[in-house]
Amino acid sequence: MTGPQQILIVEDEPLIAMMLEDFLDVLDKRSAGIADNVASALARIEQGGIDAAILDLNLRGGEKSTPIAEVLATKGIPFLFATGGSDDSVDPRFRDRPCLSKPFTMDGVQQALEAL
């Protein structure tokens, strides 16, 4: 399978993050790590070795993943947003990015990654 291989998962729900890791494994992709907040995601990005990212739009404590998207866009690393409801609003600068709606399916994750 072509496309990004090392995928950063930014997700504040541990069970969802683990499920995404399992999906990536089945899709012959690898998790480049899991971050559950903006600070840890930015630290992981600085370490390098990330081909793409799945960003939960709304993180715990009212954090948005927009600062992560800004850094990824600057570095030319593709990403998609994972959204959990209709109240999720993607920053207008990133509305052209693929979105993955919860609940996730393997096919949905595959299609979203292929859209990168």
Side-chain angles (χ1 to χ4, degrees), residues 19-72:
M19 180 186 68
L20 284 170
E21 273 189 314
D22 290 344
F23 284 0
L24 291 177
D25 187 47
V26 171
L27 295 170
D28 291 327
K29 312 266 185 207
R30 289 180 297 282
S31 169
I34 296 174
D36 64 359
N37 60 56
V38 171
S40 61
L42 294 177
R44 177 59 190 93
I45 292 165
E46 286 308 309
Q47 293 173 2
I50 296 170
D51 297 328
I54 298 172
L55 308 178
D56 185 3
L57 188 58
N58 294 305
L59 301 169
R60 191 171 287 123
E63 276 191 317
K64 296 264 188 199
S65 61
T66 306
I68 305 164
E70 291 168 345
V71 170
L72 292 169

Side-chain angles (χ1 to χ4, degrees), residues 51-114:
D51 297 328
I54 298 172
L55 308 178
D56 185 3
L57 188 58
N58 294 305
L59 301 169
R60 191 171 287 123
E63 276 191 317
K64 296 264 188 199
S65 61
T66 306
I68 305 164
E70 291 168 345
V71 170
L72 292 169
T74 299
K75 292 181 173 286
I77 299 171
F79 60 90
L80 61 91
F81 289 107
T83 63
S86 60
D87 63 335
D88 292 340
S89 59
V90 175
D91 185 294
R93 295 172 293 167
F94 303 119
R95 289 204 176 128
D96 62 335
R97 303 293 174 146
C99 283
L100 181 63
S101 297
K102 296 176 183 175
F104 304 132
T105 64
M106 179 105 51
D107 288 340
V109 171
Q110 181 177 13
Q111 290 172 5
L113 289 173
E114 288 173 356

